[in-house]
Amino acid sequence: MGSAFTVRHTVEDDWPLVRELRIENATDNPISYGATLETTLGMTEDDWRLRARRGQGVDTTSLAAVDDRSGRWIGMMSAQVGDEDGIDPVLTGVFVSPAFRGRTHGVADALLGGIVDWAGRRADRLRLYVYEHGTPARRFYTRHRFVETGRTRPVGFADGVTLEMVRVLEHVGRQGSEMAGRWQDHRMFQRLRDDPPVAPLG
């Protein structure tokens, strides 16, 4: 049976919760976060406040999945408009706590749905970079209609490269706010509970 959770935008006052989840992220899979645990532990309160208020930005967004029963943060995804490789929105900071991964829970699907909704009101494409050896993550993105472009980036602090993937988006327009509300309802994913779960994100 799937988990009951809510997806919402982060705000600056969430910084201690952002820090807590990102430390878990950097411990479990530093490549998905883009920083080592040592670097993450060395970040200041100002650093965390900056990351938390991305959910309130004009050209950025940050979503958290919160377990309805415990209040624990169980996943995050962020995005920004453009980077050094182009002006299209870019998905970043993808993490779901190990116990809440897979289609049965629907956490990753809900978070990505919110990001796609946000990006679709700004551009025709959503880009991301995924670790070349992150097979479960690559399968997840492929299921959500992302395709590899052939562009790569070095990880930097670990061996290997990340692969660029792109999804063509439908413009959400004025229906965006309604769609965003729907992503907050975990029950829309309960229909997936009888499907075989996918492997956790890598």
Side-chain angles (χ1 to χ4, degrees):
M1 184 174 179
S3 303
F5 63 89
T6 300
V7 172
R8 67 168 179 84
H9 291 277
T10 64
V11 297
E12 184 171 347
D13 287 345
D14 288 328
W15 73 266
L17 296 168
V18 174
R19 181 180 185 273
E20 181 180 0
L21 190 66
R22 289 311 188 189
I23 289 174
E24 180 185 351
N25 187 172
T27 301
D28 177 75
N29 188 345
I31 292 175
S32 76
Y33 180 43
T36 64
L37 178 59
E38 180 181 6
T39 298
T40 304
L41 290 172
M43 292 170 61
T44 67
E45 178 178 329
D46 285 344
D47 293 329
W48 293 116
R49 286 184 177 276
L50 172 65
R51 282 155 178 77
R53 66 174 176 263
R54 286 175 179 166
Q56 301 168 288
V58 175
D59 294 328
T60 61
T61 193
S62 182
L63 301 177
V66 184
D67 181 64
D68 288 345
R69 178 175 298 179
S70 66
R72 173 190 171 194
W73 282 29
I74 57 176
M76 279 188 71
M77 290 188 191
S78 302
Q80 65 188 46
V81 175
D83 63 3
E84 62 267 32
D85 290 328
I87 62 173
D88 293 315
V90 184
L91 175 66
T92 62
V94 175
F95 180 69
V96 175
S97 294
F100 294 89
R101 293 173 183 168
R103 290 198 205 185
T104 300
H105 296 288
V107 177
D109 297 275
L111 287 167
L112 183 58
I115 297 293
V116 168
D117 172 76
W118 173 87
R121 286 177 272 132
R122 289 162 173 80
D124 297 318
R125 304 192 314 162
L126 175 62
R127 299 186 295 114
L128 61 85
Y129 280 89
V130 60
Y131 187 42
E132 62 179 331
H133 300 307
T135 301
R138 291 172 67 181
R139 288 175 179 166
F140 170 77
Y141 294 128
T142 298
R143 178 164 65 84
H144 283 277
R145 306 199 306 275
F146 285 86
V147 296
E148 295 181 19
T149 67
R151 177 183 283 166
T152 64
R153 281 182 182 174
V155 173
F157 59 85
D159 293 335
V161 299
T162 56
L163 312 175
E164 185 185 56
M165 300 184 76
V166 171
R167 171 174 166 172
V168 176
L169 302 172
E170 297 179 0
H171 285 286
V172 177
R174 293 186 178 181
Q175 296 178 345
S177 59
E178 178 183 350
M179 287 292 293
R182 290 177 59 199
W183 287 117
Q184 295 183 10
D185 186 354
H186 74 279
R187 289 173 297 179
M188 70 183 296
F189 296 101
Q190 293 301 305
R191 60 185 173 78
L192 298 172
R193 67 183 182 274
D194 296 326
D195 291 351
V198 296
L201 294 183

